[in-house]
Amino acid sequence: SLNHGLIQANLIFAIKLSYKDKYSVVSELSLDLSGWESVPDVCILPKMTLDPRQDVATVKEPPLCAIEIISPSQSVNELITKAEKYFQYGVKSCWIVIPALQNVYVFSSPDDYEMYKVSETLSDPALEIELDLEEVFS
């Protein structure tokens, strides 16, 4: 959807702008984590150098963070279940973005999360990331 795409672009821009020396940010990356396949909306990876001659269609290593943005056809329960799976395969944090409420849930484990509103600064202690959510939802 339009809102989904705008928020996804804003997240990528905000993370890249502030953390380009520390992380690489990838959209719609195909993951195959020990046979479980998923395509998070955004992945945060350790900093890497682009090699245009060597591409990888499916990544087998977990990202540091998987970000899922709920779309009109998804349920919150579906994304919570995905977050649990990401943690099973070694992801350090998972964000669930709910555009209609302008909220982001930052999970540090399947059972531990913080919720951030549009007027707040998101904090992900696992990755030492802070983002102004007004920029993300603008």
Side-chain angles (χ1 to χ4, degrees):
S1 71
L2 181 61
N3 286 344
H4 185 284
L6 288 169
I7 291 167
Q8 183 173 351
N10 288 349
L11 272 168
I12 292 168
F13 180 79
I15 296 165
K16 177 99 172 153
L17 186 65
S18 297
Y19 298 97
K20 67 182 175 193
D21 294 332
K22 188 173 182 179
Y23 299 116
S24 291
V25 187
V26 183
S27 67
E28 308 291 335
L29 181 63
S30 294
L31 301 175
D32 181 351
L33 305 176
S34 301
W36 180 65
E37 296 179 2
S38 184
V39 182
D41 294 309
V42 179
C43 287
I44 302 174
L45 306 167
K47 180 68 179 166
M48 58 182 53
T49 303
L50 175 68
D51 183 352
R53 294 179 185 206
Q54 299 292 322
D55 199 2
V56 178
T58 303
V59 173
K60 296 189 180 289
E61 295 295 320
L64 298 172
C65 178
I67 302 173
E68 293 285 356
I69 304 166
I70 195 166
S71 64
S73 63
Q74 291 177 307
S75 71
V76 173
N77 286 345
E78 182 181 342
L79 294 186
I80 290 171
T81 299
K82 280 179 98 171
E84 290 171 353
K85 294 285 275 186
Y86 289 130
F87 284 110
Q88 288 176 15
Y89 291 103
V91 172
K92 296 187 183 308
S93 72
C94 185
W95 304 358
I96 296 177
V97 181
I98 303 180
L101 299 176
Q102 296 183 308
N103 291 340
V104 179
Y105 293 79
V106 176
F107 285 79
S108 55
S109 76
D111 300 316
D112 188 24
Y113 65 88
E114 295 291 330
M115 189 271 296
Y116 298 93
K117 300 177 191 175
V118 66
S119 59
E120 298 176 333
T121 299
L122 176 149
S123 178
D124 184 337
L127 300 182
E128 298 179 346
I129 287 178
E130 291 191 349
L131 291 179
D132 178 2
L133 289 183
E134 289 209 25
E135 293 295 318
V136 171
F137 290 108
S138 65

